[in-house]
Amino acid sequence: MQLASAAQRDHATALREPSMPPPLAAPRFELADARTGRIACYGEDPGAASEQRPLLLIHSVNAAATAYEMKPLFEHYRNVRPVYALDLPGFGLSDRADRIYTPRIMTDAILLAANEVRRRHGDTPIDAIALSLSCEFAARAGTEAPNLFRTLGLISPTGFDRRAEAAVKKGGDKDATRAMPWLRNIFTVPLWKHRFFSLLTSRASIRFFLRKTFGRKDIDEGLLEYDYITTHQPGAENAPYSFVSGYMFSVHALKLYQALAMPVWMVHGVRGDFVDYHGKHAVEGLPNWQIEVMQTGAMPHFEQLDKVIAGYDDFLARAAGA
């Protein structure tokens, strides 16, 4: 049997790569290493003059996650400071390889992007805002490289529910996840691997899950349409199957949050399926934490952008004066 030619291999690779518009209308660049694979990043020209610290935005993890989830914040802050965002491994225009996705891979991607942003802006510590499950990855990055981040913003972070609280009392391996290999094995059976994901990511299904996220019938229609596009690309199911099988959830996320040394801003809503913050009292009394509650779902920056910006800017002003 003859080996495939270089042209054939390039063609096969091209067929597997996403073919869709970028999630953000901004200059795009790529980073890569052996652990993360290729990740797509978006941001302003590094030569742009600005005295403001750069801001890195990190989208959540779900079946349809991309940097589009941070679009309202990106579009606002690009007018006042250098702002960057990335597609995490397995999502958007980043590498969607068929592998198990873990907190380690996601954390390494954040560190890779954050170090590049810092390099582009005179090696000054950066600000970062993460959404939902990615708050756990950002917290891990913040504990491993505390001098890389001046502040961390956490929007609707996971890891504050009753189960997380119980894990703190129980103890155990700090790197443990909630992985269920048997469940991932079921999802990845070739016979129905793609078909099941297609059912999960129909427009009707995406609308259903977004309504649970927003906690209301009215959702962002642009987000729905982009979610549909990104979930119908080659390899779109690979990272989500690790997500739904628990591989990306840290058992001891609460300990990661408690260990953060830099100023931390947290905001969460009160509507929808993601409102269990029973364990947030573990950080409420810490002097470096500022917590806000808004009358929204899990994406307050899509519902009340002005209030989110006002709260975050106030937090930054306090952090700068501390």
Side-chain angles (χ1 to χ4, degrees), residues 51-120:
E51 297 181 358
Q52 297 286 330
R53 290 177 186 265
L55 171 65
L56 176 64
L57 302 174
I58 307 159
H59 67 77
S60 75
V61 172
N62 53 65
T66 68
Y68 192 105
E69 294 178 341
M70 308 305 283
K71 185 176 181 179
L73 292 170
F74 188 94
E75 293 299 326
H76 169 77
Y77 281 112
R78 72 186 306 177
N79 296 317
V80 296
R81 63 187 298 183
V83 60
Y84 296 83
L86 75 156
D87 284 327
L88 288 168
F91 297 100
L93 293 174
S94 291
D95 185 357
R96 301 193 189 203
D98 188 358
R99 59 176 173 171
I100 294 176
Y101 290 81
T102 64
R104 182 70 269 158
I105 292 172
M106 298 302 181
T107 302
D108 286 343
I110 291 172
L111 289 171
L112 184 63
N115 274 297
E116 173 63 14
V117 170
R118 177 173 177 169
R119 184 193 67 79
R120 291 178 172 219

Side-chain angles (χ1 to χ4, degrees), residues 18 43 92 94 121 123 127 141 153 170 177 186 192 232 250 295 300 314:
S94 291
H121 293 273
D123 287 328
D127 297 318
K170 186 176 180 180
T177 69
I186 292 174
W192 57 71
H232 290 77
S250 298
Q295 301 303 307
D314 175 70

Side-chain angles (χ1 to χ4, degrees), residues 113-137:
N115 274 297
E116 173 63 14
V117 170
R118 177 173 177 169
R119 184 193 67 79
R120 291 178 172 219
H121 293 273
D123 287 328
T124 182
I126 71 170
D127 297 318
I129 300 177
L131 175 64
S132 192
L133 177 56
S134 290
C135 293
E136 297 186 19
F137 313 143

Side-chain angles (χ1 to χ4, degrees), residues 198-217:
S198 294
L199 293 173
L200 186 68
T201 55
S202 66
R203 278 191 172 84
S205 294
I206 294 172
R207 183 177 295 277
F208 172 78
F209 287 114
L210 283 177
R211 284 178 172 177
K212 292 165 74 70
T213 300
F214 279 77
R216 65 181 189 180
K217 288 187 177 181

